[in-house]
Coordinates of all heavy atoms in Angstrom, one line a residue:
L155 N -9.9 1.6 4.7 CA -11.1 1.2 3.9 C -10.8 1.6 2.5 O -11.1 0.9 1.5 CB -12.3 1.7 4.5 CG -13.5 1.0 4.0 CD1 -13.8 -0.4 4.6 CD2 -14.9 1.8 4.4
A156 N -10.5 3.0 2.4 CA -10.4 3.6 0.9 C -9.2 2.8 0.2 O -9.3 2.6 -1.0 CB -10.0 5.1 1.1
L158 N -8.4 -0.2 0.6 CA -8.8 -1.6 0.2 C -9.8 -1.5 -1.1 O -10.1 -2.4 -1.7 CB -9.6 -2.3 1.4 CG -8.7 -2.8 2.5 CD1 -9.5 -3.4 3.5 CD2 -7.8 -3.9 2.0
H159 N -10.3 -0.3 -1.2 CA -11.3 -0.2 -2.3 C -10.7 0.7 -3.3 O -11.5 1.8 -3.7 CB -12.7 0.3 -1.7 CG -13.3 -0.8 -1.0 ND1 -14.2 -1.8 -1.5 CD2 -13.3 -1.1 0.4 CE1 -14.5 -2.6 -0.5 NE2 -14.1 -2.1 0.6
R160 N -9.6 0.6 -3.7 CA -9.1 1.4 -4.9 C -9.7 1.0 -6.2 O -9.6 -0.1 -6.6 CB -7.6 1.4 -4.9 CG -6.8 2.1 -3.8 CD -5.3 2.2 -4.1 NE -4.5 2.6 -3.1 CZ -4.2 3.8 -2.9 NH1 -4.7 4.9 -3.6 NH2 -3.6 4.3 -1.8
T161 N -10.4 1.9 -6.9 CA -11.1 1.5 -7.9 C -10.3 2.0 -9.2 O -9.5 3.0 -9.2 CB -12.5 2.1 -8.1 OG1 -12.3 3.5 -7.9 CG2 -13.4 1.6 -7.0
T201 N -13.5 -1.5 -12.1 CA -13.2 -2.6 -11.2 C -12.7 -1.9 -9.8 O -12.4 -0.8 -9.8 CB -12.0 -3.5 -11.8 OG1 -11.0 -2.6 -12.1 CG2 -12.4 -4.2 -13.1
C202 N -12.8 -2.9 -8.9 CA -12.3 -2.4 -7.4 C -11.2 -3.5 -7.1 O -11.4 -4.7 -7.3 CB -13.5 -2.2 -6.5 SG -12.8 -1.7 -5.0
A203 N -10.3 -2.9 -6.3 CA -9.3 -3.9 -5.8 C -9.9 -4.9 -4.8 O -9.3 -6.0 -4.6 CB -8.2 -3.1 -5.0
C204 N -11.1 -4.7 -4.2 CA -11.7 -5.7 -3.3 C -12.2 -6.8 -4.1 O -12.6 -7.9 -3.4 CB -12.8 -5.0 -2.5 SG -14.4 -4.5 -3.4
G205 N -12.4 -6.7 -5.4 CA -13.0 -7.9 -6.2 C -14.5 -7.8 -6.2 O -15.0 -8.7 -7.1
A206 N -15.2 -7.0 -5.5 CA -16.6 -7.1 -5.6 C -17.3 -6.2 -6.8 O -18.4 -6.5 -7.1 CB -17.2 -6.5 -4.2
L207 N -16.4 -5.4 -7.3 CA -17.0 -4.6 -8.5 C -16.3 -5.1 -9.7 O -15.0 -5.0 -9.9 CB -16.7 -3.2 -8.4 CG -17.2 -2.2 -9.5 CD1 -18.6 -2.2 -9.6 CD2 -16.6 -0.9 -9.3
T221 N -17.8 3.2 -10.4 CA -16.9 3.1 -9.4 C -17.2 4.0 -8.2 O -16.9 3.7 -7.1 CB -15.4 3.4 -9.9 OG1 -15.3 4.7 -10.5 CG2 -14.8 2.4 -11.0
H224 N -19.7 2.6 -6.2 CA -19.3 1.5 -5.3 C -18.6 2.1 -4.1 O -18.7 1.7 -2.9 CB -18.4 0.6 -6.1 CG -17.5 -0.4 -5.3 ND1 -18.2 -1.5 -4.7 CD2 -16.3 -0.4 -4.9 CE1 -17.3 -2.2 -4.0 NE2 -16.2 -1.6 -4.1
R225 N -17.7 3.1 -4.3 CA -16.9 3.8 -3.2 C -18.0 4.3 -2.1 O -17.8 4.3 -0.9 CB -16.0 4.7 -3.7 CG -14.8 4.1 -4.5 CD -13.8 5.1 -4.7 NE -14.1 6.4 -5.2 CZ -14.1 6.6 -6.5 NH1 -13.9 5.8 -7.4 NH2 -14.5 7.8 -6.9
V228 N -19.7 1.5 0.0 CA -18.8 1.0 0.9 C -18.6 2.0 2.1 O -18.8 1.6 3.3 CB -17.3 0.9 0.3 CG1 -16.2 0.7 1.3 CG2 -17.3 -0.3 -0.7
Ligands
ZN324 ZN1 -14.5 -2.4 -3.5

Side-chain angles (χ1 to χ4, degrees):
L155 199 72
L158 286 175
H159 293 275
R160 284 191 192 273
T161 56
T201 54
C202 181
C204 73
L207 175 71
T221 58
H224 173 68
R225 295 194 305 270
V228 165

